[in-house]
Each structure stands twice: as C-alpha cells, then as structure tokens.
Amino acid sequence: MSRADKRGRHHVHIEVTPAQYQRLVAQAKECGLSRRAYLVRLIEGTPVRSRPSQEIKELRTEIHHIGNNINQIARSVNTGIARAEDAKRGLFLLDQVYELMYQIAKK
C-alpha cells in the first residue's frame, strides 16, 4: 500500500502503450477534461460525456429562438389579439423544432 502525501492523496503510476495514451488524451479532450479528471471520473463511476459538437450547439440555439417565437405567439393567442396567420406560423415553427430535434437525434 502506498503512503499518502501531506494532503492525504495517493499518487498512482501506470504504464500504457503509446496507442492507449493517445486514446486517453483524445477521450479526455473530447469531454473537455484533463487526463487526471477524466480518469478520476471513470474510477468513481461518474458518467463521462462528450462535449456537444458546434453543430449541435447551433441547433440548440436555433431551437431556443424558435421556442421564444412560439411563446410570443401563444401569449398573443391567449390574450385574444392573435390572427389566424399567427396560429399557422406557430404550427410551422413547431414543425421546425421537431425537424431540428430529429436531426439532433440522428447524430
């Protein structure tokens, strides 16, 4: 058993092949974590997720904007000042949201 340092932490040294090291570096980077943080999460059984791609981030933003538009239309419908075109526009925007969510799910 190893001795702990002054802070009560143990240092672990492991040997890995160059391919394993490259894989560790790539996976940690994909998650936005340091190698140490990535390994600690794996040891603790904490879920390790990849960062969303830029395309996914852009789709989320677009869905958010469409959702805001839908909420504005819903408010106008609820106050009784909406026209039939507004309701049609809301349905069209909702279809766009479903399409974008389908695109995200396919990835």
Side-chain angles (χ1 to χ4, degrees):
M1 183 147 191
S2 69
R3 289 190 343 217
D5 66 9
K6 293 177 184 177
R7 294 181 290 179
R9 296 183 179 196
H10 294 268
H11 295 266
V12 178
H13 174 82
I14 61 170
E15 292 182 16
V16 294
T17 66
Q20 291 168 331
Y21 180 76
Q22 290 304 316
R23 190 169 182 189
L24 169 63
V25 169
Q27 289 175 345
K29 184 176 182 180
E30 187 177 314
C31 296
L33 299 170
S34 67
R35 294 180 307 256
R36 180 194 175 283
Y38 179 78
L39 289 172
V40 167
R41 286 189 182 190
L42 289 176
I43 291 167
E44 292 175 344
T46 305
V48 181
R49 296 191 180 113
S50 299
R51 281 183 168 174
S53 68
Q54 185 60 34
E55 183 180 19
I56 298 294
K57 289 179 184 177
E58 290 169 4
L59 286 173
R60 280 185 187 164
T61 302
E62 192 171 340
I63 288 172
H64 176 75
H65 291 300
I66 292 170
N68 285 340
N69 289 339
I70 291 171
N71 285 337
Q72 290 172 357
I73 292 169
R75 259 183 270 156
S76 68
V77 167
N78 290 334
T79 59
I81 59 172
R83 300 179 313 254
E85 306 92 55
D86 295 331
K88 288 179 185 175
R89 173 102 174 115
L91 291 173
F92 172 75
L93 291 172
L94 195 54
D95 283 342
Q96 281 187 312
V97 168
Y98 286 131
E99 178 59 32
L100 291 171
M101 290 174 65
Y102 176 73
Q103 289 177 20
I104 290 173
K106 286 193 324 186
K107 299 196 184 276

